Amino acid sequence: EETHMSDIELRNVSKSYGDLQAVDGVDLSVRDGELLCLLGPSGCGKSTTMRMISGLEAPTSGEVHIGGEDVTDQAAYDRNTSMVFQNWALFPYKTVLENVAFGLKMRGDGTDERQREAGEMLERVHMDGYEEHSTTDLSGGQKQRVALARSLAVDPDVLLLDEPLSNLDKRLREEMEIELKDIHEEFDKTFVYVTHNQDEAFTLADRIGIMNDGRLVQVGAPTEVYRNPTNRFVEDFLGDTNFVAGEVTDVGDRHASLSTAFDATIRIPAFEAADPGASFTVSLRPEFIRVRRAGGADTPESTAARADGTGGDTITGTVENSIYRGSSIRYVVEVGGEQLFVGQRGTEQNGIEEGEAVGIGWDADNILGFHPAGRRARRA
Ligand code: ADP
Ligand code: MG
């Protein structure tokens, strides 16, 4: 396969600090021009992985390749990578323009050229007009735009961004996510973006690499990791779900039966099941569950689903709690002593009260199965 200037390849890369294994055997390929998010909980090794790409950290073992070249032993300043940090790291006593021109100065560009290029770069991040401002007067979002312009001004092969938006409030962060996505498309560079925020990763990423405990657990497009997680950690980390414990009692052609902790036997896809007798956990996401008043009429969808055998599985329970969230309602439904979380779009359900008996239903084909150690059960 052809190698481009900005491909990144980590080969079995590990980093330990004394007894602590911060990064553990990571293999990762980032494609030229791709925006890859490293996503995982705090302390899982994301920043360490990124610092090894930049050259700010040396791996304990393994190799780092950029643009087809082994750069493992190269210093940070010899690699054409550029970093953007959470805390902006701008020079407070320099103007906006001087900040952006700084990297160009280090590179040896002449004064006029620096001014022109820095000015152009500020325009591209919509900060033209601020050239002579002091960076201390800027808002968080503006500071991050200047930091981006400074990093992009040196024309790096790879831009590395470490939680660049986590100091911003939610609204501004969401605005900046869209802008970053545009900037990535416009500049056509390889971006590696570290975040612990799933929404941010889903908004931005071409592909997401999910890390846990120093390991890269799964890499894939957002839809792939969400709909087809390789293990229970990924399923749990990428959104709310109901994990339901049970025992597989029967495996048929299309569906298997699971005798569950909530005193009901439910159908699950046969290829998501373990062998009969095995203890087992399934995941049923709240957004796949429908709720209606007990004794209420079937919807056309549930009748049709049941008729063709693909879904419409229903059990009964009692609403313990309903939480109004504006655009959605979250119900906690008690079933056989267990709790199930049910999420409905706000427009779909009105007026179901706490304490009411309800029927809850789902399409059995949306259920995923996991072995006790967490590995996905799926038999291809
Ligand atoms: P993340 O960015 O995912 O929050 P880090 O890569 O910063 O995680 O850290 C991974 C682990 O390595 C953590 O347990 C952290 O405390 C530890 N660690 C990171 N840098 C150092 C260091 N320079 N010295 C010792 N331990 C470190
Ligand atoms: Mg970090």
Side-chain angles (χ1 to χ4, degrees), residues 11-126:
R11 296 187 188 165
N12 199 18
V13 165
S14 296
K15 177 74 185 180
S16 24
Y17 298 105
D19 289 342
L20 182 95
Q21 183 90 2
V23 173
D24 190 359
V26 166
D27 287 301
L28 172 68
S29 293
V30 187
R31 302 170 194 141
D32 183 61
E34 180 175 42
L35 196 162
L36 182 121
C37 279
L38 285 177
L39 172 68
S42 178
C44 71
K46 305 180 295 294
S47 295
T48 305
T49 302
M50 177 163 275
R51 288 201 303 268
M52 290 191 287
I53 297 172
S54 73
L56 295 174
E57 285 294 351
T60 310
S61 61
E63 292 176 9
V64 179
H65 293 241
I66 298 178
E69 190 188 350
D70 186 345
V71 298
T72 316
D73 298 322
Q74 249 179 34
Y77 53 80
D78 284 331
R79 304 185 191 184
N80 195 14
T81 64
S82 197
M83 260 181 106
V84 179
F85 300 94
Q86 179 181 344
N87 57 8
W88 311 303
L90 297 174
F91 303 111
Y93 301 111
K94 290 185 192 294
T95 65
V96 165
L97 191 74
E98 286 166 347
N99 264 278
V100 177
F102 177 77
L104 298 168
K105 189 175 180 178
M106 293 291 98
R107 206 171 63 176
D109 294 4
T111 312
D112 290 348
E113 196 185 351
R114 292 203 303 265
Q115 303 263 325
R116 186 178 47 76
E117 285 181 28
E120 273 173 20
M121 206 49 74
L122 281 169
E123 212 169 295
R124 292 176 81 170
V125 299
H126 312 298

Side-chain angles (χ1 to χ4, degrees), residues 266-268 290 306 309-315 360-364:
I266 64 172
R267 295 190 310 159
I268 64 176
R290 301 177 297 275
R306 214 165 309 162
T310 58
D313 294 50
T314 304
I315 56 179
I360 53 174
W362 56 80
D363 180 340

